[in-house]
Each structure stands twice: as structure tokens, then as C-alpha cells.
Amino acid sequence: NRTLEDLIAGVESHVAVAVSEGKRVVLFGMSLGAQVALYLASKYAVSGIVAVGVTHGLRFPLTLPGISLLAHLKRRWNKRFSKAELEMRRGAFYYDEMLSDGFFISRRLQGLVERNAARIAQPLLFIHSVYDRLGDPRSVGSLCRMVSSNSIAHRFCTSRSHQLFFSEVRDEIIQEILSFTRRHLFSTDTHHAPEKASAVIAAYNEASRISAVLTALLRAPSVGEI
């Protein structure tokens, strides 16, 4: 019995506080969460957006006329996993069913994103599989034409899994996301002072050596606290 408002509010409150405190925020979303990230980016001055497997546009047969009526009648849909994907999910928490509520929430989010897309001017990273069974990769192109961002990166892979973090390309896309996040969180510009690092030193019986470590850290311009 969760609504779109529930879904957005759970994230938006944290984003609003972080932005109001002057923090740099990169919004990251997977699947339905990618739509939420895009919508929130139209409302808040975040530093970047990472949208993975965005479900802004759906694949056939989810585009068939009358599919919404079927979704009303059938509340739960079984997810399909390959043996390799199940092996990667071992020990992880996940759902083996999808609620039809997600279909209607996705439809509403699609409208919200499209109405506010011109306000999305932040750097964007899209990661999508050309064989995604749920989200249509062509929707990435249509989203790019709607937003006003002049810094858009794409990463299309050939995995057949919608959940790319449990696929054979997971290590590659994690590194790409980290690189994008570091670039847009720690780059310097006229509006933000350079970010500084906190040095945490775990020490035990280091009295004879720790002085040299502390001296070096005190001289490092990138260290803000020890």
C-alpha cells in the first residue's frame, strides 16, 4: 500500500537537508529509483545524477494496450533470474516478485520527469543494457533530448540482466560510477571550496613511529582533520 508520494518522500527529505547544508550530492538510482533521481534533480541543486536501467520507457509487452488492466488484476509478477545471477545474489537481500504497483508508479513518474526535464541541468550518467527486459534503452535518447544538461555520458552494455549489479559487468559499471561521482563531488569550481579529506589513523603501540605520520599529514593541503 505504498504510493509514489511515500517513495519520493523517503529520499527527498535527506536530499533537501543535504543541499540546504551546502553539501554536494550525487543522486544515484537504479530502475524505478533512476526515475526518482531524475525527478529530484529537477527540484534540487545537486551535483550530478547516475541513472542505471532507468524505466522511463518500458519494453514490450509492457507497452501493450490494456496492460494496465492486467496489472490491476494480477498484483504479483514473478521475476526471472539466470543461474549465474542467482549465484551472484547468494547471501544478498532481494525480492523474487514484482508488485504491479510499480507499473503505475513508473507511469506517474514518467509524467513528472517529462514535465520538469528542462530543469535538469546537472551532469548525467546513464548506464543501460541494450538487452534490458524491462526498461527500453531508447528512452535514454528521448530523456537526453528533454533535459537541459550539456554534460551527458552514456554507458551501454550487452548484459541480459535488468539488475546490472548482479551481472557480469557489475565491476566495470561500479568503477564507472565511482569515477563519475568523484569527478562531480570533488572537482573545484567558483561556487565551492575544494573538498578536504579526514585522515583516520588506527594505531596500537605506535608511539615510536606515529610522530612522522602525523607530521606528514599536517603538511598535506588536502587533509582537513586528523
Side-chain angles (χ1 to χ4, degrees):
N1 298 317
R2 294 296 180 185
T3 65
L4 171 60
E5 289 72 24
D6 295 327
L7 183 66
I8 292 174
V11 183
E12 185 169 7
S13 57
H14 297 288
V15 174
V17 170
V19 171
S20 70
E21 292 176 348
K23 294 180 180 178
R24 288 192 166 207
V25 177
V26 170
L27 293 173
F28 162 77
M30 167 73 208
S31 192
L32 192 68
Q35 290 180 267
V36 175
L38 288 165
Y39 170 64
L40 291 177
S42 72
K43 297 183 66 177
Y44 297 94
V46 298
S47 297
I49 311 109
V50 179
V52 182
V54 62
T55 48
H56 185 78
L58 298 175
R59 283 275 203 183
F60 178 86
L62 294 174
T63 54
L64 283 172
I67 194 71
S68 58
L69 177 62
L70 182 60
H72 274 297
L73 297 173
K74 184 177 173 61
R75 291 294 311 282
R76 296 172 181 269
W77 301 70
N78 290 328
K79 292 184 176 182
R80 292 182 295 168
F81 302 109
S82 67
K83 288 184 178 179
E85 189 173 352
L86 284 173
E87 182 62 29
M88 286 186 222
R89 287 177 179 270
R90 182 182 294 179
F93 174 82
Y94 66 95
Y95 296 104
D96 56 10
E97 292 179 319
M98 181 172 61
L99 289 176
S100 60
D101 294 5
F103 175 78
F104 302 110
I105 288 175
S106 180
R107 283 276 184 88
R108 286 189 60 198
L109 271 170
Q110 183 178 9
L112 284 173
V113 170
E114 290 182 358
R115 284 196 295 274
N116 297 283
R119 300 177 186 171
I120 301 173
Q122 302 92 333
L124 258 166
L125 171 61
F126 284 106
I127 300 178
H128 211 96
S129 171
V130 295
Y131 298 123
D132 194 320
R133 297 189 295 262
L134 191 59
D136 189 340
R138 292 174 297 182
S139 66
V140 173
S142 64
L143 281 167
C144 290
R145 290 188 290 274
M146 293 178 196
V147 302
S148 58
S149 173
N150 58 9
S151 178
I152 303 175
H154 308 86
R155 167 74 152 83
F156 286 94
C157 59
T158 55
S159 172
R160 295 192 176 275
S161 174
H162 173 64
Q163 179 36 289
L164 295 176
F165 296 100
F166 293 101
S167 74
E168 68 283 4
V169 297
R170 62 180 178 178
D171 293 336
E172 298 169 35
I173 66 170
I174 286 171
Q175 287 306 313
E176 191 147 356
I177 290 168
L178 288 173
S179 176
F180 176 89
T181 303
R182 290 188 185 114
R183 189 161 62 250
H184 294 290
L185 279 183
F186 300 110
S187 62
T188 59
D189 56 33
T190 57
H191 302 293
H192 293 82
E195 298 283 349
K196 292 200 171 187
S198 298
V200 181
I201 309 166
Y204 181 72
N205 287 343
E206 294 290 337
S208 62
R209 289 180 290 265
I210 200 167
S211 176
V213 176
L214 293 172
T215 300
L217 285 171
L218 287 167
R219 291 173 180 167
S222 60
V223 174
E225 61 178 348
I226 302 171

